Amino acid sequence: MHKDDEQDQALDLATTGHEAWKLSAVDGYPLPQGAGRSADADLSRSRAHWISRDTLAWDVQPGATQYSLAFSGDGGIGHDQGELTGAYRVLRLTPGRLTEAQRAKWPHLASLAALKVDSRDADLVKDALRGQVVAVERDAAGRLLTATGVQLPGVLDDVYGKAATAELGPSGRVLPKLAVWAPTARKVELALYRSADGESRTVHAMGRDDATGVWSVRGLPTWKGRYYTFLVTVYAPAAGKVVTNEVTDPYSVALAAGSARSRLVDLSDRAQAPPGWTGLRKPAARRPVSVYELHVRDFSASDLTVPKALRGTYAAFTGQGAGMRELRKLAADGLTHVHLLPVFDLATIPERRADRVEPSCDLAALPPDSDRQQACVAETAATDSFNWGYDPLHYTTPEGSYATDPDDRTREFRAMVAGLNGAGLRVVMDVVYNHTNAAGQDARSVLDRIVPGYYHRLTADGAVANSTCCANTAPEHLMMGKLVVDSIVTWARAYKIDGFRFDLMGHHPKANILAVRKALDALTLAKDGVDGTSIILYGEGWNFGEVAGGARFEQATQANMAGTGIGTFSDRLRDAVRGGSPFDADPRVQGFGSGLAGDLNGAPGNADAAGRLAAYEDLIRLGLTGNLRDYVMPSGRKGSEVDYNGSPAGYAAIPSDVVTYVDAHDNETLYDALAYKLPPGTPMADRVRMQVLSLATVLLGQGTAFVHAGSERLRSKSLDRNSFDSGDWFNRLLWDCSAGNGFGAGLPPRADNEDKWPFARPLLADPALRADCAAIASARARFGEFLKIRSSSPAFALGTLAEVQSRVSFPASAPGVIAMHLNASALDPRWKSITVVFNATPRTQSQTVAALKGKSATIHPVQRAGDDAVVKQSAFDSTTGTITVPARTVAVFVQP
């Protein structure tokens, strides 16, 4: 009996074991060590984090327990009846503390306990990393309490950090060399094939550099043009055993059709380039920058002026089809860049035409509001020729389905770049390093079958995070970050790409994107054939998912990229012009450019129109400055003090930090958004004017202007808000106006649009909403005029906050009107000032500009020479400094 107990206590050793713990002054049966708790041993999960060679972070509470890392080269550790099974060795662990540096580097792990690798076992670390690793917790008597798999990225970066400077992939012009980073592999061999799909092959041993974890082999000149894969023998947690994966090279620069094998080519070989490639002359890098977002297949798939065999391919950019004629005209108007949606190797489009299946229905014969078109398109969506392409398979090889011959993809891609450059346009490439199409042991998984568990971002239990849509990569890990930089540099040097748009850039560390900028800036014409400083960078700085709020690192988000000159898309002006947000249940919520200023549609979401309009107008004014956080608005508030859904509206430090847009490939096109939002009876002529007014808020502001291809010609996707897999039919870009603008192609695909069908059906059935040639021509002409105006003065290309603050002002205006005055003195050789009046109301408005009182001002010569009779009704009264502007019109006046 214990002195604090009131009654005798009993212990049955036959049922409880030979050790017990007793709580003082607490009656009841003693608590045997481990009683009531079975071992928590789930080896399919990885809840421990090996973050450096000497530190494990784990959610445990060290006490009278023992910790270790069990490891097995043959991956045979299991669990049965409360104990580990199989043969394994052990690294001893002792309780410690995370350093401040470790807490800062791994903020999401900062609250976990630290366990230190016993210095006596330090020489076992590299052995442990080349097999299965299990974190083990035992009680003082050695009984198993907890066992879990271990996440390895941190320790791999620490131990094999020298690999950051290794040359990976194919190299060597005479004697080819192949190198792959596979530090956890037991063995790596090269399988060399004689053909793209034949079985005849030779297998070659690869040597391992123990300092870097890189495996390499030097070949013979006869290897040139051969196909290859790596045979990687490695422990794969997804399989729960050691496997031998046959996998392509993640640094592939050429592939067999279908992407099942890499190909050994030298990108400097003349056979890989079109005539004149080495001497290609690029259009000058001009400011202000304007970008035209285009999909390779959309560009020509429906263009009957392009030979049938070339439609939907790179080759369409080298000819004289209607699309190329139009791009040349846009360049002449002032467009500077064409942005191509993903053109790297994709996972979801069959590369051989013979393997593709297109819709067999007569889609054009079906009613404009029918659901049969979308059903027919859905039947072949998985095997047709179309996908946006945000499903990367190999990051540094051109997509083969866009080539007339997938084996000639490199030359054809380069010919496309040359064709666009020859048209006066620089080329931006949409890159998607934030995720892969698959992970684990999936056949379409490349990175994860070479270094399992490394290249992807894992959740607390070791599952692959998928907040991006798919298997999230982890550019915060050394070698994934290196892959991003190396890949971008290859595209810049070998393909002469002039800009890069990063998909979901907020899932990248800011440091990774800055490393890209630094690597590009080091490229010179003399050394590399390109001027890297002229290459533009921008991306989606959205803040969400497991990395949101800096949970794992400083992200490349909107606010964080301020001052870098790397642009982020601004949703502020977009929402203010369109109205509401892309995620509204009711798509009829109106904005400045969609009728809120006097053309209300009666939808319940448009209550408090006056208050919302005023707030939207402030967002647009701020957007016209480049969304500058420290710009002082007419109200006296800084841009950062203007509200946007509870967040600061202004976030940029300089105008080039921002990409301004009102539509893109995501969500409804601008025309479709206005179809939902403008009152149903709005005449087509007024729809055109509101389309143009909305686009003008983009084209006449500071920063990078971004326009979705076809918006200048009223492009519709038949109200489809997510056309990523909607086939050629819903994604048509129609250069022939007699074919319409794409509206009325049937109800948009059910998967992402069915909830909007009740709104869509009556609109699609209305023939008055299908734009004719006159409407399309008018929209295109006005768009071209605003491009010309944008490029007509350096006042639209201010570079600093100080310049914008001193030169851009917003005179007080009536609701539904925004006036912007640009002081161009000592900047523009022709004009002292430029004044822009956006009148979004259905009435003529008079706008007083105090700076013009007693001065002379005339309508911009571009508008004066144009064929828009309405804008020519605009007038200026010098006595009062008043500009009068017709309804739904943007007028630009210049002061000589």
Side-chain angles (χ1 to χ4, degrees):
M1 179 177 177
H2 193 279
K3 66 178 182 178
D4 293 330
D5 294 326
E6 296 181 359
Q7 54 184 324
D8 291 341
Q9 306 292 304
L11 176 64
D12 183 352
L13 297 179
T15 59
T16 63
H18 294 271
E19 182 177 352
W21 290 62
K22 181 70 180 71
L23 301 179
S24 178
V26 176
D27 290 335
Y29 293 103
L31 179 65
Q33 176 74 5
R37 173 183 173 183
S38 60
D40 179 7
D42 185 352
L43 304 189
S44 68
R45 300 178 183 273
S46 297
R47 294 178 294 181
H49 308 260
W50 199 350
I51 61 173
S52 69
R53 68 187 70 207
D54 67 350
T55 305
L56 186 82
W58 194 5
D59 189 12
V60 292
Q61 297 179 340
T65 47
Q66 306 172 32
Y67 295 95
S68 64
L69 288 173
F71 65 96
S72 167
D74 64 10
I77 304 175
H79 171 258
D80 186 47
Q81 296 184 3
E83 187 50 84
L84 297 181
T85 61
Y88 55 86
R89 291 188 287 168
V90 171
L91 277 78
R92 290 162 288 188
L93 301 173
T94 58
R97 294 178 60 84
L98 293 176
T99 66
E100 288 305 311
Q102 287 173 329
R103 291 174 188 271
K105 184 176 182 180
W106 305 90
H108 64 298
L109 307 178
S111 64
L112 302 187
L115 300 168
K116 297 292 183 176
V117 174
D118 192 306
S119 59
R120 294 170 294 177
D121 296 337
D123 60 346
L124 297 177
V125 169
K126 285 190 174 181
D127 285 345
L129 292 174
R130 297 180 67 187
Q132 180 185 14
V133 185
V134 176
V136 181
E137 179 186 32
R138 296 183 182 276
D139 65 22
R143 283 184 287 268
L144 182 67
L145 298 177
T146 311
T148 183
V150 178
Q151 298 186 29
L152 303 179
V155 66
L156 290 176
D157 284 350
D158 185 22
V159 172
Y160 296 105
K162 291 182 179 179
T165 59
E167 185 174 21
L168 301 178
S171 62
R173 296 194 63 180
V174 179
L175 294 177
K177 180 182 177 181
L178 290 164
V180 62
W181 188 66
T184 62
R186 307 295 296 174
K187 179 174 67 173
V188 181
E189 297 173 303
L190 175 71
L192 195 63
Y193 290 88
R194 295 192 175 278
S195 65
D197 48 19
E199 295 302 315
S200 176
R201 73 181 191 185
T202 54
V203 176
H204 304 263
M206 299 183 72
R208 185 181 194 272
D209 180 348
D210 194 53
T212 62
V214 173
W215 299 73
S216 63
V217 62
R218 178 76 70 178
L220 301 171
T222 54
W223 286 16
K224 180 180 177 181
R226 299 277 290 277
Y227 299 89
Y228 70 96
T229 58
F230 296 124
L231 306 177
V232 182
T233 301
V234 65
Y235 176 75
K241 61 182 180 180
V242 173
V243 297
T244 297
N245 287 322
E246 181 168 12
V247 61
T248 47
D249 188 346
Y251 274 70
S252 295
V253 295
L255 295 158
S259 306
R261 291 174 186 169
S262 302
R263 193 177 190 188
L264 190 53
V265 302
D266 178 2
L267 292 180
S268 64
D269 191 323
R270 287 186 178 181
Q272 298 293 326
W277 177 250
T278 55
L280 177 66
R281 299 187 63 181
K282 286 193 163 290
R286 293 180 290 159
R287 295 178 58 218
V289 173
S290 50
V291 180
Y292 190 76
E293 184 196 41
L294 184 62
H295 187 281
V296 167
R297 186 160 180 86
D298 290 355
F299 174 67
S300 61
S302 302
D303 187 354
L304 300 183
T305 67
V306 172
K308 187 174 182 179
L310 305 185
R311 293 175 199 162
T313 73
Y314 303 130
F317 292 88
T318 65
Q320 301 298 319
M324 279 307 297
R325 293 197 298 271
E326 181 59 24
L327 289 183
R328 291 187 186 96
K329 292 177 183 176
L330 287 168
D333 288 341
L335 186 70
T336 63
H337 291 71
V338 162
H339 161 143
L340 299 175
L341 266 70
V343 285
F344 48 74
D345 184 52
L346 315 178
T348 52
I349 302 178
E351 291 194 327
R352 301 178 185 88
R353 291 193 181 192
D355 296 334
R356 299 179 216 159
V357 179
E358 308 294 347
S360 58
C361 315
D362 185 356
L363 299 171
L366 296 172
D369 59 344
S370 171
D371 64 356
R372 292 167 60 192
Q373 293 96 326
Q374 62 86 31
C376 184
V377 167
E379 289 175 0
T380 59
T383 56
D384 68 5
S385 300
F386 187 87
N387 196 285
W388 277 350
Y390 294 91
D391 49 0
L393 187 54
H394 296 91
Y395 288 119
T396 321
T397 304
E399 165 59 12
S401 71
Y402 298 148
T404 60
D405 177 2
D407 290 332
D408 198 26
R409 65 180 81 190
T410 297
R411 189 193 62 79
E412 292 191 30
F413 186 102
R414 287 168 160 174
M416 172 186 67
V417 172
L420 286 166
N421 287 170
L425 295 162
R426 294 170 73 88
V427 180
V428 174
M429 183 174 165
D430 202 326
V431 290
V432 188
Y433 297 105
N434 66 80
H435 67 261
T436 58
N437 179 258
Q441 287 295 104
D442 190 287
R444 291 177 296 182
S445 169
V446 176
L447 297 170
D448 213 21
R449 290 196 294 144
I450 295 175
V451 192
Y454 176 82
Y455 283 102
H456 292 90
R457 188 175 300 120
L458 307 180
T459 61
D461 65 356
V464 175
N466 61 3
S467 57
T468 62
C469 77
C470 314
N472 295 3
T473 59
E476 65 270 27
H477 299 162
L478 180 69
M479 298 303 284
M480 183 63 210
K482 171 182 169 60
L483 189 157
V484 173
V485 175
D486 290 350
S487 178
I488 289 286
V489 168
T490 298
W491 285 112
R493 293 180 64 188
Y495 293 92
K496 304 186 181 183
I497 296 298
D498 305 296
F500 297 91
R501 177 266 195 192
F502 286 85
D503 182 64
L504 299 184
M505 189 170 71
H507 271 57
H508 287 255
K510 176 181 178 180
N512 179 233
I513 303 301
L514 292 180
V516 169
R517 179 74 273 170
K518 181 178 180 181
L520 291 175
D521 288 347
L523 302 180
T524 66
L525 282 169
K527 177 172 60 75
D528 306 287
V530 295
D531 174 13
T533 62
S534 71
I535 295 173
I536 64 172
L537 299 179
Y538 56 93
E540 294 180 302
W542 315 135
N543 180 30
F544 69 98
E546 73 285 351
V547 298
R552 299 203 180 199
F553 46 78
E554 185 181 16
Q555 303 155 258
T557 51
Q558 290 172 323
N560 289 347
M561 297 307 288
T564 65
I566 298 170
T568 59
F569 287 91
S570 173
D571 41 1
R572 278 66 165 164
L573 181 141
R574 177 201 70 190
D575 289 354
V577 171
R578 290 168 67 110
S581 86
F583 313 107
D584 291 333
D586 185 338
R588 299 172 297 171
V589 178
Q590 292 176 285
F592 180 82
S594 60
L596 192 62
D599 281 323
L600 296 178
N601 59 26
N606 293 313
D608 187 26
R612 288 178 52 242
L613 180 61
Y616 282 162
E617 288 170 352
D618 268 352
L619 290 176
I620 295 168
R621 291 185 183 98
L622 185 60
L624 290 166
T625 73
N627 217 62
L628 297 173
R629 66 190 179 197
D630 292 325
Y631 180 86
V632 179
M633 303 284 287
S635 64
R637 294 178 298 166
K638 289 184 176 181
S640 60
E641 296 169 338
V642 176
D643 178 69
Y644 173 72
N645 297 333
S647 297
Y651 63 78
I654 53 179
S656 57
D657 291 339
V658 162
V659 176
T660 305
Y661 74 116
V662 290
D663 70 345
H665 67 275
D666 281 320
N667 309 309
E668 294 91 351
T669 67
L670 177 60
Y671 183 86
D672 286 345
L674 297 183
Y676 276 132
K677 296 170 186 293
L678 289 171
T682 302
M684 179 57 69
D686 289 346
R687 292 182 181 277
V688 170
R689 302 199 72 80
M690 295 306 283
Q691 176 103 1
V692 170
L693 180 145
S694 297
L695 291 169
T697 65
V698 172
L699 296 177
L700 300 182
Q702 305 297 324
T704 297
F706 182 96
V707 179
H708 184 45
S711 282
E712 80 285 0
R713 51 196 307 109
L714 309 178
R715 182 183 183 182
S716 169
K717 296 182 183 179
S718 204
L719 304 176
D720 189 353
R721 68 175 306 274
N722 188 21
S723 67
F724 80 101
D725 204 17
S726 299
D728 291 334
W729 178 250
F730 287 99
N731 286 285
R732 287 175 298 164
L733 180 51
L734 299 168
W735 302 114
D736 180 359
C737 65
S738 66
N741 65 336
F743 195 82
L747 286 167
R750 181 185 303 273
D752 290 300
N753 301 279
E754 187 177 15
D755 61 328
K756 303 295 192 300
W757 280 5
F759 301 104
R761 198 182 298 272
L763 297 174
L764 294 171
D766 185 354
L769 289 176
R770 292 195 283 282
D772 60 13
C773 283
I776 292 170
S778 176
R780 170 61 184 91
R782 303 293 81 73
F783 179 84
E785 290 164 6
F786 287 125
L787 269 178
K788 290 176 180 177
I789 290 170
R790 176 178 175 82
S791 59
S792 71
S793 173
F796 291 106
L798 304 177
T800 67
L801 166 67
E803 286 184 291
V804 175
Q805 189 70 68
S806 64
R807 293 185 180 276
V808 181
S809 59
F810 297 95
S813 54
V817 178
I818 294 175
M820 177 176 68
H821 181 70
L822 303 175
N823 176 1
S825 59
L827 179 67
D828 191 314
R830 291 184 293 174
W831 301 311
K832 295 177 182 177
S833 73
I834 302 171
T835 303
V836 183
V837 180
F838 302 85
N839 179 10
T841 76
R843 297 170 295 280
T844 297
Q845 298 282 350
S846 294
Q847 173 66 52
T848 299
V849 181
L852 294 179
K853 186 176 180 180
K855 306 293 195 304
S856 63
T858 61
I859 196 166
H860 196 289
V862 168
Q863 290 188 314
R864 187 169 60 246
D867 62 0
D868 181 8
V870 176
V871 75
K872 292 179 182 180
Q873 297 171 20
S874 302
F876 173 66
D877 182 346
S878 176
T879 305
T880 59
T882 300
I883 296 174
T884 301
V885 180
R888 306 181 184 91
T889 296
V890 180
V892 182
F893 278 74
V894 294
Q895 177 192 355

